[in-house]
């Protein structure tokens, strides 16, 4: 059968080939988009839109990787520009959506990939313009050549080199002097969570840096910190008290990797997600704890608990404990 001069079998074969190519590249496309946007849901939407554009292209691109990478980058830049307006009006502290597992793997760039998806790195990327952010992600994280970067962002190679220099400078200025390697982070995290379970405030205080911060993101849709809690003693006392209260209502803590580093997922007695914690470490101490409670940012992890109901249970448990 012929449809418009093109055999049906040829059309079906082309679509099947495109589908296979897209599925192979999907992890890379998501990872690029997530680093530009800091949002799992928005990155997934951007990847889906890239597929629709790829499927609708009359002529099959010579390089599917180049075409799809450029397409998802442009879509992500546009989404980020509009998202920035919403983030300026966000209730409380905005944090990236937690990512438990990065789908893209490249052994040759494992360190760069893990570092670039950390909450601390994503917050540094928030300081960059959308173009600077996209150029940094493509060039510094995924090692795209400048011709590919220029094609993706619609700028000249010379302009992209300048954008890369500015982005790199901003990122380096915000990084700590000494960052722990993976083994040090895991050992420090194990001690931290053990001290938390045992309610050892003094041990927690020793593991936190003097200027440690506890940062919460509820987005106005869940109980959240009224402000950023600063100081090792303040943070240690608060998290020890919080964890003890949660234990009284059968909340479980599952230490696991969050955004490429040590963290934990908290669930209620029914297994529903309450919050995630991501630990940022430097100079041999936990420098910050980023907690996400906003239910809109947790849905991709599974069923989400009613955090307001959890807060009420905590209050009742505390009143009962006081007699």
């Amino acid at each position: 059968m012929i449809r418009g001069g093109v055999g049906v079998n040829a059309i079906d074969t082309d679509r099947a080939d495109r589908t296979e190519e897209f599925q192979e590249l999907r992890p890379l496309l998501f990872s690029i988009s997530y680093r530009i946007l800091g949002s799992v849901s928005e990155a997934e939407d951007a990847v889906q839109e890239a597929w629709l554009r790829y499927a609708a292209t009359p002529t099959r691109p010579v390089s599917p990787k180049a075409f799809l990478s450029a397409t998802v980058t442009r879509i992500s830049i546009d989404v980020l520009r509009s998202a920035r307006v919403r983030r300026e009006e966000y209730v409380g502290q905005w944090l990236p959506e937690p990512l438990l597992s990065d789908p893209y793997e490249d052994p040759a760039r494992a360190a760069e990939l893990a570092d670039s998806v950390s909450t601390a790195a994503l917050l540094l990327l928030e300081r960059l313009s959308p173009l600077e952010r996209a150029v940094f992600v493509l060039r510094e994280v995924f090692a795209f050549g400048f011709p590919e970067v220029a094609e993706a962002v619609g700028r000249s190679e010379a302009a992209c080199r300048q954008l890369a220099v500015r982005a790199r400078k901003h990122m380096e200025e915000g990084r700590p002097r000494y960052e722990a390697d993976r083994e040090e982070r895991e050992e420090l995290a194990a001690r931290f969570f053990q001290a938390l379970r045992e309610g050892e405030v003094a041990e927690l205080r020793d593991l936190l840096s003097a200027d440690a911060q506890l940062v919460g993101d509820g987005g106005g849709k869940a109980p959240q910190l009224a402000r950023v809690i600063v100081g090792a003693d303040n943070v240690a006392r608060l998290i020890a008290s919080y964890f003890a209260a949660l234990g009284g209502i059968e909340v479980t803590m599952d230490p696991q990797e969050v955004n490429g580093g040590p963290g934990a997922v908290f669930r209620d007695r029914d297994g529903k997600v309450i919050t995630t914690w991501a630990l940022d470490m430097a100079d041999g101490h936990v420098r910050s704890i980023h907690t996400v409670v906003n239910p809109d940012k947790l849905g991709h992890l599974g069923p989400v608990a009613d955090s307001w109901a959890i807060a009420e249970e905590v209050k009742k448990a505390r009143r009962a404990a006081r007699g």
Side-chain angles (χ1 to χ4, degrees), residues 47-305:
V47 171
Q48 183 61 26
E49 177 61 25
W51 158 248
L52 294 175
R53 296 187 189 184
Y54 181 50
T57 303
T59 304
R60 195 164 165 189
V62 174
S63 171
K65 178 183 177 181
F67 177 88
L68 284 165
S69 297
T71 301
V72 82
T73 296
R74 292 178 196 140
I75 293 169
S76 299
I77 290 172
D78 289 341
V79 172
L80 181 59
R81 283 173 174 151
S82 61
R84 288 207 154 188
V85 176
R86 296 193 302 274
R87 290 175 191 178
E88 288 174 0
E89 301 171 350
Y90 195 79
V91 178
Q93 176 70 45
W94 180 91
L95 293 176
E97 289 185 15
L99 184 68
L100 301 190
S101 177
D102 188 352
Y104 179 71
E105 297 180 359
D106 180 355
R109 301 192 64 78
E112 292 89 343
L113 290 170
D115 177 67
S116 64
V117 84
S118 71
T119 301
L122 291 172
L123 289 175
L124 283 177
L125 284 169
E126 284 290 306
R127 302 180 184 181
L128 308 182
S129 71
L131 278 178
E132 288 173 340
R133 186 164 180 165
V135 168
F136 182 87
V137 168
L138 292 176
R139 178 63 183 170
E140 300 298 322
V141 180
F142 294 97
F144 278 58
F146 276 111
E148 297 170 293
V149 175
E151 173 66 21
V153 303
R155 294 293 189 274
S156 68
E157 288 186 44
C160 288
R161 291 180 187 276
Q162 292 179 338
L163 287 166
V165 169
R166 289 205 300 268
R168 197 180 305 117
K169 180 181 179 182
H170 287 310
M171 294 295 287
E172 289 175 352
E173 287 173 350
R175 294 185 187 281
R177 296 183 306 277
Y178 167 73
E179 293 183 279
D181 61 26
R182 177 170 289 274
E183 185 175 342
E184 290 175 306
R185 291 198 303 267
E186 291 177 352
E187 190 273 337
L188 181 57
R191 292 171 57 197
F192 174 86
F193 287 123
Q194 185 62 30
L196 185 60
R197 287 190 184 94
E198 296 175 356
E200 294 288 345
V201 175
E203 176 69 9
L204 287 170
R205 188 188 303 117
D206 290 342
L207 294 172
L208 292 161
S209 63
D211 58 350
Q213 295 187 346
L214 175 63
V215 185
D217 177 347
K221 298 184 178 184
Q224 63 189 69
L225 297 171
R227 57 184 174 81
V228 175
I229 307 302
V230 181
D233 188 62
N234 292 331
V235 173
R237 290 181 182 281
L238 181 58
I239 62 176
S241 172
Y242 175 74
F243 186 78
L246 290 181
I249 58 171
E250 301 178 56
V251 168
T252 58
M253 177 183 68
D254 178 20
Q256 64 184 96
E257 189 170 276
V258 178
N259 284 87
V265 178
F266 290 75
R267 301 178 187 274
D268 69 8
R269 60 175 65 89
D270 298 318
K272 294 180 179 179
V273 179
I274 301 171
T275 181
T276 61
W277 285 19
L279 308 185
D280 174 32
M281 302 172 178
D283 300 317
H285 292 83
V286 175
R287 186 173 65 164
S288 59
I289 306 167
H290 294 103
T291 72
V292 176
V293 193
N294 185 341
D296 293 348
K297 295 186 175 184
L298 300 173
H300 62 285
L301 303 180
V304 180

